[in-house]
Amino acid sequence: MILKRILLEHFRQFEYANVAFQPGLTAIVGPNGAGKTTLIEAIGFALYGEQRGLKKTIQPIHLTGGKPRVALWFELGGREYRVSRDLTSAELVDEAEDKVIAESLSGVTQEVERRFNLTYEQFINSFCTEQKGLPFLQFRDRQRKIDELARMLGYDQLKIAARIADNHATKARGRREGAKVAA
């Protein structure tokens, strides 16, 4: 995934923020309370509808009556998308075709999980490291951590490929032995 732009309205300490991401590696730096973690959480909220704490915690610190909303533009597999979400609605749009792909809270989350092949927990553990979450891969238990890391790295696919290769090698050895006996 390549981040293009994020727009926050009435989201935690941001009344309004419009951040364009440049190509390459992105680092978000600033003093405590500047909103670094909020930007990361806004990405997770836009894609998955997840945030720390209760829904009311995303309300702006300086209440203005506005409804919290996040829109995120990103590229995935060479296609550009826009996902937008607030507390009661969500929409995922293919920007090239100007086509709505999903338009409900759960529908957008399911479509994001399908396209990314990652749950929120997997995404947040592989996509970013939050200042307060530096211990990498904070899954519920050790085995879940191992399983999820293997899945994110594609190790499960390597295991399947190794089994297929072993089966082909076994069949080839059988054919070779059969050919020796026949000769």
Side-chain angles (χ1 to χ4, degrees):
M1 175 179 72
I2 299 171
L3 296 175
K4 298 292 190 173
R5 183 165 67 104
I6 189 166
L7 174 71
L8 290 80
E9 296 176 301
H10 312 287
F11 193 89
R12 292 212 169 100
Q13 68 264 48
F14 292 105
E15 183 68 31
Y16 177 86
N18 188 357
V19 178
F21 296 98
Q22 300 302 312
L25 183 65
T26 298
I28 301 172
V29 295
N32 287 344
K36 302 177 299 289
T37 300
T38 297
L39 282 174
I40 300 296
E41 290 176 333
I43 293 167
F45 177 74
L47 294 169
Y48 294 93
E50 297 279 346
Q51 78 279 335
R52 74 184 140 146
L54 305 171
K55 284 184 179 178
K56 66 181 180 182
T57 65
I58 67 170
Q59 297 289 341
I61 293 171
H62 311 290
L63 294 176
T64 59
K67 183 162 89 169
R69 179 179 168 279
V70 177
L72 175 69
W73 288 260
F74 63 94
E75 183 180 320
L76 182 66
R79 298 196 64 84
E80 291 198 19
Y81 298 92
R82 175 182 45 83
V83 62
S84 55
R85 187 182 299 262
D86 59 35
L87 295 175
T88 59
S89 63
E91 180 179 71
L92 177 62
V93 175
D94 181 322
E95 288 283 280
E97 296 180 15
D98 195 27
K99 177 183 173 187
V100 175
I101 298 167
E103 56 183 341
S104 69
L105 294 173
S106 61
V108 168
T109 300
Q110 289 169 359
E111 190 61 29
V112 165
E113 285 180 354
R114 187 184 76 73
R115 287 178 188 265
F116 285 21
N117 198 26
L118 294 172
T119 64
Y120 171 74
E121 189 175 55
Q122 293 163 336
F123 174 80
I124 209 70
N125 278 302
S126 63
F127 178 72
C128 64
T129 301
E130 295 179 25
Q131 178 181 353
K132 296 173 188 83
L134 289 179
F136 185 61
L137 293 173
Q138 295 181 343
F139 288 101
R140 286 180 219 110
D141 59 50
R142 184 176 188 282
Q143 187 57 49
R144 175 85 193 271
K145 180 188 285 191
I146 291 167
D147 293 344
E148 295 298 340
L149 183 58
R151 185 177 167 298
M152 284 186 273
L153 295 175
Y155 183 66
D156 55 340
Q157 297 299 312
L158 290 175
K159 285 164 79 172
I160 292 168
R163 267 191 306 241
I164 292 169
D166 284 345
N167 288 341
H168 285 293
T170 300
K171 289 177 184 176
R173 279 192 297 275
R175 285 192 301 272
R176 185 183 66 204
E177 293 301 317
K180 283 182 185 178
V181 172

